[in-house]
Amino acid sequence: MNEQSRLLEQERWRVTAEQSKAESMQRALEEQRKVTAQQMAMERAELERAKSALLEEQKSVMLKCGEERRRLAAEWAEFSAQQKLRAG
């Protein structure tokens, strides 16, 4: 009976140690999950900022292209009118 009690106590110790180890690993995994989620959120926010900046840059370029197109059209119209006057 004494041997059985000793073996039972050893088994309890082993189970307790395993349970403690499992709980510790679970806490570490949960902490890692939180850190990963925070990193992903920061990366997502940075991507959104970059996307917004890119869209603003694209708008600016498109406006400049439109202005340049209008300027060239006006110059071309003026040039054509002068050519007609010279030819006429």
Side-chain angles (χ1 to χ4, degrees):
M1 175 97 170
N2 202 11
E3 180 64 17
Q4 278 185 331
S5 294
R6 190 181 65 76
L7 290 173
L8 184 60
E9 191 60 30
Q10 281 181 343
E11 184 63 16
R12 281 187 188 137
W13 261 93
R14 188 187 66 74
V15 168
T16 300
E18 287 293 321
Q19 183 177 2
S20 177
K21 183 179 174 182
E23 289 170 353
S24 176
M25 287 177 65
Q26 186 175 2
R27 283 190 300 274
L29 285 171
E30 182 61 24
E31 187 60 34
Q32 183 60 43
R33 186 196 67 77
K34 285 179 185 176
V35 168
T36 302
Q38 288 173 341
Q39 287 174 338
M40 288 178 66
M42 289 184 338
E43 288 173 8
R44 212 175 293 119
E46 182 60 33
L47 280 173
E48 279 301 315
R49 283 190 293 275
K51 179 182 169 185
S52 293
L54 185 61
L55 287 172
E56 285 301 314
E57 178 72 17
Q58 185 180 23
K59 273 190 219 174
S60 174
V61 168
M62 294 301 286
L63 284 171
K64 287 177 184 174
C65 286
E67 291 168 3
E68 183 68 11
R69 196 176 297 119
R70 284 187 292 279
R71 187 184 65 75
L72 288 172
E75 284 182 17
W76 182 253
E78 185 179 337
F79 175 77
S80 295
Q82 288 176 1
Q83 291 298 316
K84 286 180 186 175
L85 287 174
R86 286 189 187 134

